[in-house]
Amino acid sequence: KRGRSKVKCEGLVTKQKKNRRVKANDRERNRMHNLNSALDALRSVLPTFPDDAKLTKIETLRFAHNYIWALTETLRMADQCRLIPNHHEDRESFFHIPSSCMMDLASPTSVCSSEWDSSTYSPSSHDADGHSPDILVEEGFSCYSIVYTVYLYIIFYQSYF
DNA sequence: TAGGCCATCTGGTCCT
DNA sequence: AGGACCAGATGGCCTA
């Protein structure tokens, strides 16, 4: 009788384990879907050309990093000059990013490598004045939080213009 | 066909 | 104990 109950117990444990695994898989799938949604939101605020293929995940993150840097630099320059025109049309031309710069921003793959190496192709993390436009990501932030934070940063900067 | 990208599964670790 | 997060493994799809 004890043997049978042991087998029954083992079967129950196996079933419980299987059930937990299925639930964990489901949560993991959900988590990745959320992460992808955050990446999509981030893509949506990045400037792209109509015929551009969808940016890959790593391209999206690199592009966002460069884009934030470009916007930060633009703000800094505008602040330095204190010549921001009031008319909307003028503001647009004032903040026009040179095409050479856009090419670089729009083609992250042109400077792509398998590793994140900010020294080679990402903007310097500190400008001439020692200001750091880097995104403040505290230790312990999840991937989702980081992507979403980048997204919010871009929205914030874009609202400036 | 090789290589890149992606989704999913899985086991481990940490936290509540 | 259960959930969140992460990294490694695997297989599918697509493109040069």
Side-chain angles (χ1 to χ4, degrees):
Chain A
K1 192 177 178 185
R2 207 179 296 162
R4 251 189 298 168
S5 65
K6 190 184 174 187
V7 168
K8 200 174 174 184
C9 198
E10 279 176 0
L12 198 68
V13 168
T14 309
K15 202 175 176 182
Q16 273 185 335
K17 273 188 179 177
K18 215 173 182 177
N19 192 34
R20 271 204 293 268
R21 194 60 259 177
V22 168
K23 281 168 82 176
N25 288 346
D26 198 41
R27 282 195 305 274
E28 178 63 9
R29 224 177 298 127
N30 248 321
R31 197 180 69 83
M32 294 309 292
H33 287 168
N34 285 338
L35 178 60
N36 288 337
S37 297
L39 273 164
D40 281 338
L42 183 55
R43 277 190 196 98
S44 71
V45 294
L46 294 175
T48 51
F49 298 111
D51 54 343
D52 269 353
K54 184 184 172 186
L55 293 172
T56 64
K57 293 180 176 181
I58 188 71
E59 284 171 349
T60 302
L61 292 176
R62 285 174 175 153
F63 193 174
H65 180 263
N66 290 358
Y67 186 48
I68 289 172
W69 175 83
L71 292 172
T72 306
E73 280 299 287
T74 308
L75 269 182
R76 190 179 62 80
M77 284 164 61
D79 200 38
Q80 272 183 356
C81 299
R82 299 195 184 284
L83 285 173
I84 308 174
N86 284 325
H87 296 300
H88 182 69
E89 302 79 26
D90 295 339
R91 286 172 68 92
E92 274 194 3
S93 59
F94 182 83
F95 289 118
H96 175 71
I97 298 169
S99 58
S100 58
C101 200
M102 283 306 291
M103 281 303 289
D104 189 40
L105 286 172
S107 311
T109 48
S110 63
V111 285
C112 203
S113 76
S114 58
E115 293 175 19
W116 178 277
D117 181 3
S118 61
S119 62
T120 37
Y121 59 83
S122 288
S124 166
S125 37
H126 297 277
D127 60 26
D129 300 327
H131 297 138
S132 171
D134 278 0
I135 300 157
L136 295 171
V137 179
E138 291 176 24
E139 213 174 315
F141 265 42
S142 69
C143 284
Y144 174 81
S145 304
I146 293 169
V147 173
Y148 195 66
T149 304
V150 172
Y151 167 73
L152 291 177
Y153 261 71
I154 291 176
I155 292 288
F156 167 76
Y157 278 117
Q158 285 183 341
S159 69
Y160 243 87
F161 303 106

